[in-house]
Amino acid sequence: MDYCGYLRTSGEGQKEKVTVALQIEAIQRWAANTGNPVTEWYVDDGVKSEVPVIERTGGGRMFREASLGNWKGIVVYDTDRWGREPSVNHGAMKLVRDLGLAFVDLSEPGTDLSTDSGELMFTIKSGVARYEHQKILRRMNDGRAVV
C-alpha cells in the first residue's frame, strides 16, 4: 500500500523557506530511497499552524480519504508542518493512530509513534516548534517597534 505526503506552509512570507517544492522534493527522495511510493499529495499552502489539521482543506481531505483505507501512512517534511501548536499536533496524531496509519517525519527518522519513546519525541518536537514560532513572532514584533 502507498503513502501520501502532507505539505503545509504558513504564508507568513515563508520565512523559514520551507516551501511546498522543497517539501515535495524531500518526500520524493525518501520514497525513492525506501521504495515506499508516495502517490497522493495533500497541500495546505498559506495556512496558519493553529488551524487543526482536519479543519484545513488538504488535511481534511487527507483524513477523509485515509479513513477509506487508501494509505499505509503519511509522510511529512517536519513535525512543524502539522503545526506549531502541541494541541493541534496531538489532535492530528490521535487521528493517525485511530486510523492505524504510519507517520513518517523526515526530520526525525525512526520516530515510531506506536512506542512510548516515539510519542515522547513527537511531543518534544511539537513543543520546540511552538517555542520557535513564538520566538519568530517576538523578533518580528521587536523589529517593528524599532522601525
Side-chain angles (χ1 to χ4, degrees):
M1 193 177 295
D2 298 345
Y3 284 77
C4 67
Y6 178 73
L7 321 162
R8 183 191 68 82
T9 64
S10 64
E12 296 171 348
Q14 205 55 52
K15 288 162 185 47
E16 63 263 335
K17 303 295 185 217
V18 182
T19 63
V20 167
L22 179 115
Q23 293 173 64
I24 288 173
E25 182 182 310
I27 292 171
Q28 286 174 330
R29 206 171 29 254
W30 171 85
N33 290 339
T34 63
N36 290 305
V38 175
T39 56
E40 187 70 43
W41 302 93
Y42 299 94
V43 181
D44 285 310
D45 198 9
V47 177
K48 301 279 188 204
S49 61
E50 297 84 11
V51 177
V53 179
I54 197 151
E55 293 177 17
R56 302 172 189 166
T57 303
R61 188 169 64 88
M62 176 184 66
F63 279 118
R64 283 190 303 278
E65 292 179 11
S67 70
L68 301 173
N70 291 352
W71 311 118
K72 179 178 182 179
I74 300 168
V75 185
V76 297
Y77 176 78
D78 195 333
T79 298
D80 68 4
R81 298 302 86 204
W82 274 126
R84 293 179 180 264
E85 286 293 328
S87 62
V88 167
N89 289 352
H90 284 282
M93 216 32 66
K94 180 177 181 339
L95 289 169
V96 168
R97 278 194 306 271
D98 290 350
L99 292 169
L101 297 169
F103 179 77
V104 179
D105 174 353
L106 299 183
S107 72
E108 196 62 47
T111 298
D112 180 355
L113 294 175
S114 68
T115 66
D116 292 339
S117 59
E119 192 166 331
L120 174 63
M121 181 56 69
F122 180 79
T123 299
I124 290 169
K125 286 196 65 172
S126 294
V128 169
R130 183 179 194 290
Y131 169 78
E132 288 176 343
H133 183 64
Q134 295 298 339
K135 194 167 147 181
I136 289 167
L137 292 176
R138 187 172 50 254
R139 285 181 180 161
M140 287 171 44
N141 288 333
D142 288 350
R144 286 186 193 119
V146 171
V147 175

